[in-house]
Each structure stands twice: as structure tokens, then as C-alpha cells.
Amino acid sequence: KAGVTQTPRYLIKTRGQQVTLSCSPISGHRSVSWYQQTPGQGLQFLFEYFSETQRNKGNFPGRFSGRQFSNSRSEMNVSTLELGDSALYLCASSLMLTANTEAFFGQGTRLTVV
Amino acid sequence: TQLLEQSPQFLSIQEGENLTVYCNSSSVFSSLQWYRQEPGEGPVLLVTVVTGGEVKKLKRLTFQFGDARKDSSLHITAAQPGDTGLYLCAGADFNKFYFGSGTKLNVKP
């Protein structure tokens, strides 16, 4: 059974550009969550999608957006990149967010903004 | 506000020593997960605990869920260099995960 796949693994962008990251969840998983991880802030929740609908959103500016497709694959977009957006972006998939759910993470996309 | 507090934040020990990492919260969670993350990689799920008072063992790792389902601990016996990494606890609510800030463990050979 394939795990969570994130592409690309590494990305270097310039300030002001925009970027799109992709996440393919485990087959059958309908929930996809996105996190930003930096050394100083730890894992910060960005948003969660379930069956193409955004159910939860963290405290990030509107430059951060996402979407989920009918096959559960998800993308997140960051527009007008800032240096502080440099981070490891992690995607996690879950079968369904019920009381005893488990999240399985991808390897992440390392974004560097220069 | 961090819902889950992990302690200690950093731990550097010698191979063969025992250690305990704590994950505390004022909130009740329906389940709690422990993950280990290596640099540049995503967190890998180690265990899920669901029932208050539950104890689970994974080789040299022992996980305990508090009776009130607000806190948890991870005990490692005879630590090895391969145990080095960032240990994260996560509390699950019905549609969201709350992550602790992590404990960075370094086991020196």
C-alpha cells in the first residue's frame, strides 16, 4: 500500500513568486491536512480538507490556500512568497477524522525562499 | 496557546540509558498519537492510545495514556543511537489534530 506522496521534495523560489505543492494521500483516505514546520514554531496547522471541502483552517494569512480534488489529491498554494515562508511543508492523510483517527505523513516539501 | 506541552524540549543521553518524555494537556482527547521524525523527513506514526490508563509496548518503547486522557508518556529503555530524532505527541479531536512542540532526543554512542 503506497504511502502519502508529496511533490516536489525540494523547491527554491524567489520572494514575490508563488508556489504550488502537491499531496497524494493513501488510497481510500479522504481527509488531507497541511502543516508548516519551522525550527522555531514547530508544526503549525494550515488547513484540512475532506471530500473536497475545507473543514478547518489555521491562523495563516490568505496568501496560503489549498484545494482538494475528487480523487482526494490535494494542493496548497502560497502566493507572494516571503522569506519567512521557508519551511518544511507536510501533508497528512487520514481515513476519516473520527475519534480514533490516525494521521500518516508524507516526507514533506522543503521550500526555501531567497 | 499550545494545547499540548511536551517536556523536556531537548534531551541528550548516552547509549544504554533510559528516558521518559511527557506530553501534557488541560484538554481531553479522544485519542493520542506519538510520532518520531528524523531531520528532513515527515513524522512517522509510532503508536495510538485510545483508552484512559492504556499502556502499549513497542519493543523498547512504552507508551502510557493518562487515566483522564489528558496526558501521555513515552518511556525508552536502553536507548540506542537509532532512537535519535524528534518525538511528537498529537491529540486527536473529531476533525483536528493538535501537536506538541516536540522533544528532540539525541542518543550518543
Side-chain angles (χ1 to χ4, degrees), chain A residues 9-10 33 35 37 42-43 45 48 55-57 88 90 94 97-108 110, chain B residues 2 30-31 33 35 37 39-45 47-48 50 86 88 92-101:
Chain A
R9 284 294 310 275
Y10 304 94
S33 301
Y35 297 85
Q37 187 177 36
L43 266 174
F45 173 74
E48 184 253 347
R55 290 199 300 188
N56 284 292
K57 192 176 188 307
L88 180 67
L90 291 162
S94 302
L97 285 187
T98 58
N100 303 330
T101 193
E102 295 171 330
F104 297 89
F105 284 87
Q107 291 182 296
R110 169 72 64 186
Chain B
Q2 195 80 29
S30 52
S31 67
Q33 288 79 39
Y35 296 82
Q37 184 180 21
E41 302 291 330
V44 175
L45 179 67
V47 78
T48 296
V50 176
L86 177 69
L88 293 160
D93 201 340
F94 279 89
N95 57 8
K96 200 171 177 182
F97 289 95
Y98 300 89
F99 281 88
S101 53

Short mmCIF file of all heavy atoms in Angstrom, two decimals, chain A residues 9-10 33 35 37 42-43 45 48 55-57 88 90 94 97-108 110, chain B residues 2 30-31 33 35 37 39-45 47-48 50 86 88 92-101:
data_model
loop_
_atom_site.label_atom_id
_atom_site.label_comp_id
_atom_site.label_asym_id
_atom_site.label_seq_id
_atom_site.Cartn_x
_atom_site.Cartn_y
_atom_site.Cartn_z
N ARG A 9 10.00 17.37 -3.60
CA ARG A 9 10.66 17.23 -2.29
C ARG A 9 11.37 18.52 -1.89
O ARG A 9 11.41 18.88 -0.72
CB ARG A 9 11.70 16.11 -2.31
CG ARG A 9 11.16 14.70 -2.27
CD ARG A 9 10.45 14.37 -0.93
NE ARG A 9 11.20 14.68 0.26
CZ ARG A 9 12.11 13.89 0.82
NH1 ARG A 9 12.42 12.75 0.26
NH2 ARG A 9 12.71 14.25 1.95
N TYR A 10 11.95 19.16 -2.87
CA TYR A 10 12.69 20.39 -2.60
C TYR A 10 12.31 21.45 -3.63
O TYR A 10 12.04 21.14 -4.79
CB TYR A 10 14.21 20.15 -2.66
CG TYR A 10 14.68 19.06 -1.74
CD1 TYR A 10 14.81 17.75 -2.20
CD2 TYR A 10 14.97 19.33 -0.41
CE1 TYR A 10 15.22 16.74 -1.34
CE2 TYR A 10 15.38 18.32 0.45
CZ TYR A 10 15.50 17.02 -0.02
OH TYR A 10 15.91 16.04 0.83
N SER A 33 -4.59 16.97 5.53
CA SER A 33 -4.24 18.16 6.31
C SER A 33 -2.86 18.64 5.89
O SER A 33 -2.01 17.84 5.51
CB SER A 33 -4.20 17.82 7.81
OG SER A 33 -5.44 17.36 8.26
N TYR A 35 0.53 21.11 7.05
CA TYR A 35 1.23 21.72 8.18
C TYR A 35 2.49 22.40 7.67
O TYR A 35 3.12 21.96 6.71
CB TYR A 35 1.63 20.67 9.21
CG TYR A 35 0.47 19.95 9.85
CD1 TYR A 35 -0.09 18.84 9.24
CD2 TYR A 35 -0.05 20.38 11.07
CE1 TYR A 35 -1.16 18.18 9.82
CE2 TYR A 35 -1.12 19.73 11.66
CZ TYR A 35 -1.67 18.63 11.02
OH TYR A 35 -2.73 17.98 11.59
N GLN A 37 6.21 23.42 9.10
CA GLN A 37 7.13 23.13 10.20
C GLN A 37 8.39 23.96 10.06
O GLN A 37 9.09 23.88 9.04
CB GLN A 37 7.48 21.64 10.26
CG GLN A 37 8.29 21.26 11.49
CD GLN A 37 8.57 19.79 11.57
OE1 GLN A 37 8.79 19.13 10.55
NE2 GLN A 37 8.56 19.23 12.77
N GLY A 42 7.71 24.88 15.37
CA GLY A 42 7.17 23.53 15.40
C GLY A 42 6.17 23.31 14.28
O GLY A 42 6.21 23.97 13.25
N LEU A 43 5.25 22.37 14.50
CA LEU A 43 4.24 22.03 13.49
C LEU A 43 3.05 22.96 13.62
O LEU A 43 2.36 22.96 14.64
CB LEU A 43 3.76 20.59 13.69
CG LEU A 43 4.44 19.49 12.91
CD1 LEU A 43 3.92 18.14 13.36
CD2 LEU A 43 4.17 19.64 11.42
N PHE A 45 -0.61 24.10 12.03
CA PHE A 45 -1.70 23.62 11.19
C PHE A 45 -2.11 24.70 10.18
O PHE A 45 -2.36 25.84 10.57
CB PHE A 45 -2.88 23.24 12.08
CG PHE A 45 -4.14 22.88 11.34
CD1 PHE A 45 -4.24 21.67 10.67
CD2 PHE A 45 -5.21 23.74 11.33
CE1 PHE A 45 -5.40 21.32 10.00
CE2 PHE A 45 -6.38 23.41 10.68
CZ PHE A 45 -6.48 22.21 10.00
N GLU A 48 -7.31 21.77 6.58
CA GLU A 48 -7.70 20.38 6.39
C GLU A 48 -8.85 20.30 5.39
O GLU A 48 -9.80 21.10 5.46
CB GLU A 48 -8.11 19.73 7.71
CG GLU A 48 -8.45 18.25 7.61
CD GLU A 48 -9.93 17.94 7.71
OE1 GLU A 48 -10.72 18.84 8.10
OE2 GLU A 48 -10.33 16.80 7.39
N ARG A 55 -12.54 21.98 5.87
CA ARG A 55 -13.29 21.88 7.12
C ARG A 55 -12.65 22.70 8.23
O ARG A 55 -13.35 23.14 9.14
CB ARG A 55 -13.38 20.43 7.59
CG ARG A 55 -14.25 19.54 6.74
CD ARG A 55 -14.67 18.28 7.48
NE ARG A 55 -13.55 17.47 7.91
CZ ARG A 55 -13.67 16.25 8.43
NH1 ARG A 55 -14.88 15.75 8.60
NH2 ARG A 55 -12.62 15.56 8.78
N ASN A 56 -11.35 22.85 8.18
CA ASN A 56 -10.65 23.58 9.23
C ASN A 56 -9.56 24.43 8.62
O ASN A 56 -8.96 24.06 7.61
CB ASN A 56 -10.00 22.62 10.22
CG ASN A 56 -11.00 22.01 11.16
OD1 ASN A 56 -11.58 22.67 12.00
ND2 ASN A 56 -11.23 20.72 11.00
N LYS A 57 -9.29 25.53 9.28
CA LYS A 57 -8.24 26.42 8.80
C LYS A 57 -7.46 26.95 9.99
O LYS A 57 -8.05 27.31 11.03
CB LYS A 57 -8.86 27.58 8.02
CG LYS A 57 -7.87 28.41 7.23
CD LYS A 57 -8.61 29.46 6.41
CE LYS A 57 -7.68 30.19 5.45
NZ LYS A 57 -6.49 30.77 6.07
N LEU A 88 9.50 23.42 6.08
CA LEU A 88 9.12 22.09 5.60
C LEU A 88 7.59 22.04 5.63
O LEU A 88 6.99 22.26 6.69
CB LEU A 88 9.72 21.01 6.50
CG LEU A 88 9.42 19.55 6.12
CD1 LEU A 88 10.10 19.19 4.80
CD2 LEU A 88 9.89 18.60 7.23
N LEU A 90 4.32 19.84 5.33
CA LEU A 90 3.94 18.45 5.49
C LEU A 90 2.47 18.25 5.22
O LEU A 90 1.64 19.08 5.59
CB LEU A 90 4.26 17.98 6.92
CG LEU A 90 5.74 17.87 7.27
CD1 LEU A 90 5.92 17.84 8.78
CD2 LEU A 90 6.35 16.62 6.65
N SER A 94 -5.72 10.99 6.40
CA SER A 94 -6.45 10.16 7.36
C SER A 94 -7.60 9.49 6.65
O SER A 94 -8.17 10.05 5.71
CB SER A 94 -6.99 11.00 8.51
OG SER A 94 -5.97 11.69 9.16
N LEU A 97 -11.69 11.57 9.75
CA LEU A 97 -11.41 12.14 11.04
C LEU A 97 -12.52 11.81 12.03
O LEU A 97 -13.45 12.57 12.20
CB LEU A 97 -11.16 13.64 10.94
CG LEU A 97 -9.82 14.01 10.35
CD1 LEU A 97 -9.58 15.49 10.44
CD2 LEU A 97 -8.69 13.28 11.06
N THR A 98 -12.39 10.67 12.65
CA THR A 98 -13.31 10.30 13.73
C THR A 98 -12.51 10.30 15.03
O THR A 98 -11.35 10.68 15.04
CB THR A 98 -13.90 8.90 13.50
OG1 THR A 98 -12.82 7.98 13.39
CG2 THR A 98 -14.71 8.88 12.23
N ALA A 99 -13.10 9.82 16.06
CA ALA A 99 -12.47 9.93 17.38
C ALA A 99 -11.11 9.25 17.45
O ALA A 99 -10.22 9.74 18.10
CB ALA A 99 -13.40 9.35 18.43
N ASN A 100 -10.94 8.13 16.81
CA ASN A 100 -9.70 7.37 16.95
C ASN A 100 -8.88 7.38 15.67
O ASN A 100 -8.22 6.41 15.35
CB ASN A 100 -10.02 5.92 17.35
CG ASN A 100 -10.84 5.87 18.61
OD1 ASN A 100 -10.71 6.74 19.45
ND2 ASN A 100 -11.68 4.87 18.73
N THR A 101 -8.93 8.47 14.98
CA THR A 101 -8.25 8.53 13.69
C THR A 101 -6.74 8.61 13.86
O THR A 101 -6.23 8.97 14.93
CB THR A 101 -8.75 9.75 12.90
OG1 THR A 101 -8.33 9.64 11.56
CG2 THR A 101 -8.21 11.04 13.48
N GLU A 102 -6.04 8.29 12.83
CA GLU A 102 -4.58 8.38 12.81
C GLU A 102 -4.17 9.15 11.55
O GLU A 102 -4.80 8.99 10.51
CB GLU A 102 -3.95 6.99 12.79
CG GLU A 102 -4.21 6.19 14.06
CD GLU A 102 -3.78 4.75 13.92
OE1 GLU A 102 -3.82 4.21 12.80
OE2 GLU A 102 -3.40 4.15 14.94
N ALA A 103 -3.16 9.94 11.68
CA ALA A 103 -2.66 10.71 10.54
C ALA A 103 -1.35 10.11 10.07
O ALA A 103 -0.49 9.75 10.88
CB ALA A 103 -2.45 12.17 10.95
N PHE A 104 -1.22 9.99 8.76
CA PHE A 104 0.00 9.46 8.16
C PHE A 104 0.60 10.57 7.29
O PHE A 104 -0.08 11.13 6.44
CB PHE A 104 -0.32 8.23 7.32
CG PHE A 104 -0.87 7.09 8.14
CD1 PHE A 104 -2.22 6.97 8.37
CD2 PHE A 104 -0.01 6.17 8.71
CE1 PHE A 104 -2.72 5.94 9.14
CE2 PHE A 104 -0.50 5.12 9.49
CZ PHE A 104 -1.87 5.02 9.71
N PHE A 105 1.88 10.83 7.54
CA PHE A 105 2.53 11.95 6.89
C PHE A 105 3.32 11.55 5.66
O PHE A 105 3.86 10.44 5.57
CB PHE A 105 3.49 12.63 7.87
CG PHE A 105 2.81 13.48 8.89
CD1 PHE A 105 2.37 12.91 10.08
CD2 PHE A 105 2.62 14.83 8.68
CE1 PHE A 105 1.75 13.69 11.04
CE2 PHE A 105 2.00 15.62 9.63
CZ PHE A 105 1.56 15.05 10.81
N GLY A 106 3.42 12.50 4.74
CA GLY A 106 4.35 12.38 3.64
C GLY A 106 5.73 12.82 4.09
O GLY A 106 5.94 13.18 5.25
N GLN A 107 6.69 12.76 3.17
CA GLN A 107 8.06 13.13 3.51
C GLN A 107 8.25 14.64 3.55
O GLN A 107 9.26 15.12 4.06
CB GLN A 107 9.02 12.51 2.50
CG GLN A 107 9.13 11.00 2.61
CD GLN A 107 10.12 10.45 1.62
OE1 GLN A 107 9.95 10.56 0.41
NE2 GLN A 107 11.19 9.86 2.12
N GLY A 108 7.28 15.37 3.03
CA GLY A 108 7.36 16.82 3.09
C GLY A 108 7.99 17.44 1.86
O GLY A 108 8.68 16.78 1.07
N ARG A 110 10.45 20.64 1.14
CA ARG A 110 11.31 21.67 1.74
C ARG A 110 11.31 22.87 0.81
O ARG A 110 11.84 22.81 -0.28
CB ARG A 110 12.72 21.14 1.92
CG ARG A 110 13.75 22.19 2.30
CD ARG A 110 13.59 22.68 3.70
NE ARG A 110 13.84 21.65 4.69
CZ ARG A 110 13.65 21.80 5.99
NH1 ARG A 110 13.21 22.95 6.46
NH2 ARG A 110 13.89 20.81 6.81
N GLN B 2 -0.42 26.71 23.17
CA GLN B 2 -0.13 25.33 22.81
C GLN B 2 -1.02 24.43 23.65
O GLN B 2 -0.94 24.43 24.87
CB GLN B 2 1.36 25.05 23.09
CG GLN B 2 1.89 23.81 22.47
CD GLN B 2 2.22 24.00 20.99
OE1 GLN B 2 2.56 25.08 20.56
NE2 GLN B 2 2.10 22.95 20.23
N SER B 30 -9.78 12.36 22.43
CA SER B 30 -10.35 11.04 22.18
C SER B 30 -9.27 10.01 21.91
O SER B 30 -9.48 8.82 22.15
CB SER B 30 -11.33 11.13 21.00
OG SER B 30 -10.71 11.74 19.90
N SER B 31 -8.15 10.44 21.42
CA SER B 31 -7.01 9.54 21.24
C SER B 31 -5.74 10.39 21.18
O SER B 31 -5.80 11.61 21.00
CB SER B 31 -7.13 8.71 19.96
OG SER B 31 -7.03 9.54 18.82
N GLN B 33 -1.61 10.29 19.67
CA GLN B 33 -0.61 9.61 18.87
C GLN B 33 0.79 10.09 19.24
O GLN B 33 0.99 11.23 19.66
CB GLN B 33 -0.81 9.91 17.37
CG GLN B 33 -2.00 9.25 16.72
CD GLN B 33 -3.30 9.96 17.01
OE1 GLN B 33 -3.34 11.19 17.04
NE2 GLN B 33 -4.37 9.22 17.23
N TYR B 35 4.65 10.26 17.43
CA TYR B 35 5.38 10.19 16.18
C TYR B 35 6.87 10.39 16.44
O TYR B 35 7.26 11.07 17.39
CB TYR B 35 4.92 11.29 15.21
CG TYR B 35 3.49 11.21 14.76
CD1 TYR B 35 2.47 11.71 15.55
CD2 TYR B 35 3.16 10.65 13.53
CE1 TYR B 35 1.15 11.65 15.14
CE2 TYR B 35 1.83 10.59 13.10
CZ TYR B 35 0.85 11.09 13.92
OH TYR B 35 -0.46 11.03 13.49
N GLN B 37 10.22 11.81 14.21
CA GLN B 37 10.58 12.48 12.97
C GLN B 37 12.09 12.64 12.90
O GLN B 37 12.73 13.09 13.85
CB GLN B 37 9.92 13.86 12.88
CG GLN B 37 10.18 14.59 11.58
CD GLN B 37 9.51 15.95 11.55
OE1 GLN B 37 9.19 16.52 12.58
NE2 GLN B 37 9.30 16.48 10.35
N PRO B 39 15.40 14.34 10.73
CA PRO B 39 15.61 15.60 10.00
C PRO B 39 15.28 15.49 8.52
O PRO B 39 15.70 14.54 7.85
CB PRO B 39 17.10 15.88 10.22
CG PRO B 39 17.43 15.20 11.50
CD PRO B 39 16.59 13.96 11.53
N GLY B 40 14.49 16.43 8.02
CA GLY B 40 14.15 16.48 6.61
C GLY B 40 13.11 15.48 6.16
O GLY B 40 12.81 15.40 4.97
N GLU B 41 12.56 14.72 7.11
CA GLU B 41 11.56 13.72 6.76
C GLU B 41 10.24 14.03 7.47
O GLU B 41 10.20 14.83 8.40
CB GLU B 41 12.03 12.32 7.16
CG GLU B 41 13.34 11.90 6.53
CD GLU B 41 13.21 11.66 5.04
OE1 GLU B 41 12.12 11.26 4.60
OE2 GLU B 41 14.21 11.88 4.31
N GLY B 42 9.17 13.37 7.04
CA GLY B 42 7.91 13.54 7.72
C GLY B 42 7.83 12.69 8.98
O GLY B 42 8.54 11.69 9.12
N PRO B 43 6.98 13.07 9.93
CA PRO B 43 6.80 12.26 11.14
C PRO B 43 6.25 10.88 10.80
O PRO B 43 5.41 10.74 9.92
CB PRO B 43 5.77 13.07 11.94
CG PRO B 43 5.85 14.46 11.39
CD PRO B 43 6.17 14.29 9.95
N VAL B 44 6.75 9.90 11.53
CA VAL B 44 6.29 8.52 11.34
C VAL B 44 5.51 8.10 12.58
O VAL B 44 5.99 8.25 13.71
CB VAL B 44 7.49 7.57 11.12
CG1 VAL B 44 7.01 6.11 11.06
CG2 VAL B 44 8.23 7.94 9.84
N LEU B 45 4.31 7.60 12.37
CA LEU B 45 3.45 7.20 13.48
C LEU B 45 4.05 6.01 14.22
O LEU B 45 4.41 4.99 13.61
CB LEU B 45 2.07 6.84 12.95
CG LEU B 45 1.05 6.37 13.99
CD1 LEU B 45 0.68 7.52 14.93
CD2 LEU B 45 -0.21 5.84 13.29
N VAL B 47 2.59 5.00 17.59
CA VAL B 47 1.51 4.33 18.32
C VAL B 47 0.33 5.28 18.48
O VAL B 47 0.48 6.50 18.42
CB VAL B 47 2.04 3.89 19.72
CG1 VAL B 47 2.07 5.08 20.68
CG2 VAL B 47 1.20 2.78 20.31
N THR B 48 -0.84 4.69 18.67
CA THR B 48 -2.04 5.43 19.04
C THR B 48 -2.58 4.83 20.33
O THR B 48 -2.70 3.61 20.44
CB THR B 48 -3.11 5.33 17.94
OG1 THR B 48 -2.63 5.94 16.75
CG2 THR B 48 -4.39 6.03 18.37
N VAL B 50 -5.84 5.06 23.06
CA VAL B 50 -7.24 5.47 22.99
C VAL B 50 -7.91 5.46 24.37
O VAL B 50 -8.68 6.35 24.71
CB VAL B 50 -8.01 4.54 22.02
CG1 VAL B 50 -9.48 4.88 22.02
CG2 VAL B 50 -7.42 4.64 20.63
N LEU B 86 13.14 13.62 16.60
CA LEU B 86 12.17 14.50 17.24
C LEU B 86 10.92 13.68 17.54
O LEU B 86 10.34 13.08 16.64
CB LEU B 86 11.83 15.67 16.31
CG LEU B 86 10.77 16.65 16.81
CD1 LEU B 86 11.31 17.46 17.99
CD2 LEU B 86 10.35 17.60 15.68
N LEU B 88 7.11 13.60 18.70
CA LEU B 88 5.94 14.48 18.74
C LEU B 88 4.74 13.72 19.27
O LEU B 88 4.50 12.57 18.88
CB LEU B 88 5.61 14.98 17.33
CG LEU B 88 6.60 15.90 16.65
CD1 LEU B 88 6.39 15.90 15.15
CD2 LEU B 88 6.49 17.31 17.20
N ALA B 92 -5.97 13.94 19.20
CA ALA B 92 -6.97 13.97 18.13
C ALA B 92 -8.33 14.36 18.69
O ALA B 92 -8.79 13.81 19.69
CB ALA B 92 -7.06 12.61 17.45
N ASP B 93 -8.91 15.34 18.04
CA ASP B 93 -10.29 15.71 18.29
C ASP B 93 -11.06 15.21 17.06
O ASP B 93 -10.46 14.63 16.18
CB ASP B 93 -10.40 17.23 18.43
CG ASP B 93 -11.64 17.62 19.18
OD1 ASP B 93 -12.59 16.80 19.24
OD2 ASP B 93 -11.69 18.74 19.70
N PHE B 94 -12.31 15.45 16.99
CA PHE B 94 -13.07 14.82 15.91
C PHE B 94 -12.62 15.22 14.52
O PHE B 94 -12.69 14.42 13.61
CB PHE B 94 -14.56 15.09 16.09
CG PHE B 94 -15.17 14.15 17.07
CD1 PHE B 94 -15.21 14.46 18.42
CD2 PHE B 94 -15.66 12.92 16.67
CE1 PHE B 94 -15.74 13.57 19.33
CE2 PHE B 94 -16.20 12.03 17.58
CZ PHE B 94 -16.24 12.35 18.92
N ASN B 95 -12.17 16.43 14.34
CA ASN B 95 -11.75 16.79 12.99
C ASN B 95 -10.46 17.59 12.97
O ASN B 95 -10.22 18.36 12.07
CB ASN B 95 -12.86 17.54 12.25
CG ASN B 95 -13.29 18.78 13.00
OD1 ASN B 95 -12.67 19.15 13.99
ND2 ASN B 95 -14.35 19.41 12.56
N LYS B 96 -9.62 17.40 13.97
CA LYS B 96 -8.39 18.16 14.01
C LYS B 96 -7.36 17.44 14.89
O LYS B 96 -7.72 16.74 15.83
CB LYS B 96 -8.64 19.55 14.58
CG LYS B 96 -7.58 20.57 14.23
CD LYS B 96 -8.02 21.95 14.65
CE LYS B 96 -6.94 22.97 14.38
NZ LYS B 96 -7.32 24.32 14.82
N PHE B 97 -6.10 17.65 14.53
CA PHE B 97 -5.00 17.17 15.36
C PHE B 97 -4.33 18.37 16.01
O PHE B 97 -4.16 19.41 15.39
CB PHE B 97 -3.97 16.42 14.52
CG PHE B 97 -4.43 15.07 14.03
CD1 PHE B 97 -4.98 14.94 12.77
CD2 PHE B 97 -4.31 13.96 14.83
CE1 PHE B 97 -5.40 13.71 12.32
CE2 PHE B 97 -4.73 12.72 14.38
CZ PHE B 97 -5.28 12.59 13.12
N TYR B 98 -3.91 18.19 17.24
CA TYR B 98 -3.15 19.21 17.94
C TYR B 98 -1.81 18.60 18.29
O TYR B 98 -1.74 17.58 18.95
CB TYR B 98 -3.87 19.64 19.23
CG TYR B 98 -5.24 20.20 18.99
CD1 TYR B 98 -6.36 19.37 18.95
CD2 TYR B 98 -5.43 21.56 18.79
CE1 TYR B 98 -7.62 19.87 18.72
CE2 TYR B 98 -6.70 22.08 18.57
CZ TYR B 98 -7.78 21.23 18.53
OH TYR B 98 -9.03 21.74 18.30
N PHE B 99 -0.74 19.24 17.83
CA PHE B 99 0.60 18.70 18.03
C PHE B 99 1.33 19.43 19.14
O PHE B 99 1.21 20.65 19.29
CB PHE B 99 1.42 18.82 16.74
CG PHE B 99 1.10 17.75 15.74
CD1 PHE B 99 0.08 17.93 14.82
CD2 PHE B 99 1.81 16.56 15.74
CE1 PHE B 99 -0.22 16.94 13.90
CE2 PHE B 99 1.51 15.57 14.82
CZ PHE B 99 0.49 15.75 13.91
N GLY B 100 2.09 18.65 19.90
CA GLY B 100 3.00 19.25 20.84
C GLY B 100 4.20 19.83 20.10
O GLY B 100 4.38 19.58 18.91
N SER B 101 5.02 20.57 20.82
CA SER B 101 6.17 21.22 20.20
C SER B 101 7.34 20.25 20.00
O SER B 101 8.30 20.57 19.31
CB SER B 101 6.63 22.41 21.03
OG SER B 101 6.83 22.01 22.36
#
